[in-house]
Amino acid sequence: MPVVRSFRDLLENQCYDEIYESINEFVQDNPGSLDCSTRCVQSPDEATLSDLHIRLASIVDSPEEDISFYAIVEAELEIAETIQRNREIDEVTQWFKVRCTATLDNGLHNLNTEEVSLYTKYDKAQKKCLSDALVPIIYKEELDEVAEDSLSRYYSETLEKPMPIDPVELAKRMGGLTIVQAHLSKSCTIFGQTCFSDGEIQYYDLEERKFKPLGVRNGTILIDPDVFFMRNIGSVNNTIVHECVHWDKHRKFFELEKLYNPEASAIRCQVMEGTNRDKEKKTEYEWMEWHASSLAPRILMPAKTTLQKTKELIEKNRKLLPIANKTDILESVIFELSDFFGVSKLAAKIRLIDLGFQEAIGVLTYVDERYISNYAFEEGALKRGQTYTIGALDALIESRPGTKFRELLQSGQFLYVDAHFCINDPKYIIEDEYGFAHLTDYALMHIDECCLAFCYCMKVLDEWLAEGKTFILCFIDINNLKYVNDRFGHTEGDRYIVCVSNILCEFSEEAIVCRIGGDEFMLLIQNWSLDVNTDESVHTARSSSACFPVFQCTFSAA
């Protein structure tokens, strides 16, 4: 991870003399206003500055190269007072704040110290501040306001009525940014890149299968063309706006970085939708990615006009689909919002949830490489950080041996159906003609009544990977289950499933076994050695130092 530079250190190294002169002039002109005294000098009538240390830089954000900030300074003073013809002298420490402006463009220039005043810990914090690395400090509740501010400067018409944004036009209005297509990685793991200075970047030449240099100019946005083919136009639009956010919000960070590292020139991005990470653990680089990932959909779908458009579409779909339930109506609305604003369906869904449409949580939920049935729940039933939907692998991990949850499942009270752990009752679960279990229509509209809620913090697999533990994941499929049901009846089909379940449970006491479908099982086991010859049926993926073999197995009826 690159070293993050400090604006405070820059001031200390380059602006010490200017700040020293300003504070020294202030203390000499205003000795009586100083908030310091000693036993010897209680009301100083003279003061001079001996030394200072810049402890903090409180920086105001602005879109231009000019930068406004307060230098918070701890100063060592010599104060004096005449008492009955005796001259008393002492040394004290006094804190000051110095309001300054400067230009940050290929260096720090034109420093102007505009005002010096005393500083106390009770001074109010400024709004729209930058960190010491010149990264904007933005809170989650401010994201819509920040996005609206960007639009008011570059694309104000989108704040008046619902309309799609042309990302290429947005880039053009941001100082004439140029969009260039280039393969940034071998397999499209890097979607976009923003260049903050003239120089060279590395792109991947598909024909020669190697990285080669490419000259770029300041203000170039590079987009991998594979994003167009591997994803969708909504993801392309999101990627371009994502890079525009970097240009608008993070140029000062790179101007500071270039003072220490002239080779620094760009941010490379893997643009993800709906990602999150514990804020206490974020680095400055991760904060910048969070800014771009969070602001891009809010720029593409401004809060006020998106709400207006959503209400119009809900009303229209209620008239067109009078017998449809609320989740089906929202699904149609998400499709139309996606098309209208030029965003992905996932982005449209997440945006609706951000704007207060909690019903959208159960709509178009993609898990285990498929969309599950839409579901609904009572408002307030689901707490923050919880979900009713759980993928097969997470379900397997949660049901590992030795947990209370495993004991609950063994009691037969709950079944894993359609990516939910549901109460085992005909009111909520039915089987189709092939023996596959499904949630009933009632269950789908009352998911909070019958299904367990889970927290997102499922970290067991991450811990295994971090610790370098070896584990095996095995997918098991029963052959001819429908044939057994049709020929011998569902009772024999159930016995067939139970027989396979018992065999898998005997595999190892430490194995985690889970039924994930009518005839599909999953087995996960940690710290288990396996000696196999290289074979096409064994696929090995590596993450960190962990070996992760994946097997595809079948059971056949005798």
Side-chain angles (χ1 to χ4, degrees), residues 136 149 162 198 325 395 404 419-420 457 461 503 507 515 520 523 558:
D149 174 70
D198 299 346
N325 60 51
K404 292 183 178 180
H420 297 86
C457 52
L461 201 58
I503 293 173
F507 181 78
R515 183 185 176 198
E520 297 176 337
L523 181 148

Side-chain angles (χ1 to χ4, degrees), residues 94-114:
Q94 174 74 65
W95 285 72
F96 296 92
K97 62 179 181 180
V98 184
R99 182 159 59 89
C100 307
T101 59
T103 301
L104 189 63
D105 184 16
N106 291 317
L108 192 65
H109 312 288
N110 306 322
L111 179 70
N112 181 28
T113 56
E114 297 182 344

Side-chain angles (χ1 to χ4, degrees), residues 148 151 156-163 298-312 337 340-341 355:
E148 192 172 298
L151 288 170
S156 60
E157 60 267 37
T158 60
L159 300 175
E160 302 301 323
K161 64 178 182 179
M163 62 181 296
R298 288 169 168 83
I299 290 173
L300 286 162
M301 302 179 69
K304 180 180 176 181
T305 54
T306 300
L307 275 172
Q308 181 182 339
K309 187 65 178 179
T310 301
K311 291 176 181 178
E312 291 176 5
L337 286 175
F340 181 82
F341 286 107
L355 294 172

Side-chain angles (χ1 to χ4, degrees), residues 270-366:
Q270 181 178 11
V271 183
M272 305 296 289
E273 296 173 312
T275 57
N276 192 19
R277 177 173 172 174
D278 186 358
K279 65 181 181 180
E280 281 78 13
K281 298 179 180 179
K282 279 189 172 69
T283 65
E284 297 286 358
Y285 288 88
E286 289 170 327
W287 275 120
M288 289 189 289
E289 281 306 292
W290 180 78
H291 293 161
S293 297
S294 301
L295 289 171
R298 288 169 168 83
I299 290 173
L300 286 162
M301 302 179 69
K304 180 180 176 181
T305 54
T306 300
L307 275 172
Q308 181 182 339
K309 187 65 178 179
T310 301
K311 291 176 181 178
E312 291 176 5
L313 293 175
I314 289 175
E315 187 63 28
K316 184 191 81 171
N317 281 277
R318 280 176 177 166
K319 293 178 180 178
L320 293 175
L321 307 168
I323 63 173
N325 60 51
K326 57 185 178 182
T327 58
D328 290 339
I329 288 175
L330 269 182
E331 178 179 321
S332 180
V333 169
I334 289 171
F335 272 88
E336 292 191 65
L337 286 175
S338 172
D339 289 340
F340 181 82
F341 286 107
V343 300
S344 68
K345 296 176 184 63
L346 175 60
K349 171 182 172 175
I350 293 172
R351 194 70 181 110
L352 281 187
I353 296 171
D354 287 339
L355 294 172
F357 292 88
Q358 294 302 300
E359 309 96 314
I361 291 175
V363 179
L364 289 173
T365 302
Y366 192 79

Side-chain angles (χ1 to χ4, degrees), residues 205-417:
D205 189 312
L206 290 179
E207 293 184 359
E208 298 187 23
R209 295 186 177 183
K210 66 179 182 180
F211 283 98
K212 298 171 68 175
L214 174 68
V216 293
R217 299 296 302 272
N218 177 32
T220 300
I221 291 177
L222 295 131
I223 303 295
D224 195 312
D226 284 345
V227 177
F228 289 82
F229 304 106
M230 296 175 64
R231 295 171 70 83
N232 53 57
I233 188 62
S235 295
V236 174
N237 290 344
N238 188 73
T239 299
I240 295 173
V241 176
H242 182 108
E243 300 304 326
C244 287
V245 172
H246 280 313
W247 177 262
D248 189 40
K249 297 297 179 186
H250 305 138
R251 276 178 287 170
K252 289 185 174 64
F253 171 88
F254 269 87
E255 287 296 337
L256 177 62
E257 175 65 20
K258 285 192 296 184
L259 296 179
Y260 295 90
N261 176 19
E263 300 300 319
S265 62
I267 297 179
R268 285 193 156 198
C269 305
Q270 181 178 11
V271 183
M272 305 296 289
E273 296 173 312
T275 57
N276 192 19
R277 177 173 172 174
D278 186 358
K279 65 181 181 180
E280 281 78 13
K281 298 179 180 179
K282 279 189 172 69
T283 65
E284 297 286 358
Y285 288 88
E286 289 170 327
W287 275 120
M288 289 189 289
E289 281 306 292
W290 180 78
H291 293 161
S293 297
S294 301
L295 289 171
R298 288 169 168 83
I299 290 173
L300 286 162
M301 302 179 69
K304 180 180 176 181
T305 54
T306 300
L307 275 172
Q308 181 182 339
K309 187 65 178 179
T310 301
K311 291 176 181 178
E312 291 176 5
L313 293 175
I314 289 175
E315 187 63 28
K316 184 191 81 171
N317 281 277
R318 280 176 177 166
K319 293 178 180 178
L320 293 175
L321 307 168
I323 63 173
N325 60 51
K326 57 185 178 182
T327 58
D328 290 339
I329 288 175
L330 269 182
E331 178 179 321
S332 180
V333 169
I334 289 171
F335 272 88
E336 292 191 65
L337 286 175
S338 172
D339 289 340
F340 181 82
F341 286 107
V343 300
S344 68
K345 296 176 184 63
L346 175 60
K349 171 182 172 175
I350 293 172
R351 194 70 181 110
L352 281 187
I353 296 171
D354 287 339
L355 294 172
F357 292 88
Q358 294 302 300
E359 309 96 314
I361 291 175
V363 179
L364 289 173
T365 302
Y366 192 79
V367 60
D368 293 337
E369 299 184 356
R370 66 188 178 95
Y371 284 102
I372 63 173
S373 300
N374 294 334
Y375 63 85
F377 51 88
E378 287 292 328
E379 184 177 353
L382 199 63
K383 297 179 181 178
R384 186 176 181 181
Q386 288 186 329
T387 178
Y388 291 111
T389 305
I390 179 170
L393 181 56
D394 285 330
L396 189 62
I397 293 171
E398 286 297 294
S399 60
R400 62 192 179 277
T403 63
K404 292 183 178 180
F405 185 58
R406 173 66 168 253
E407 297 174 5
L408 179 65
L409 295 182
Q410 289 176 334
S411 71
Q413 297 180 52
F414 289 86
L415 289 181
Y416 184 65
V417 183

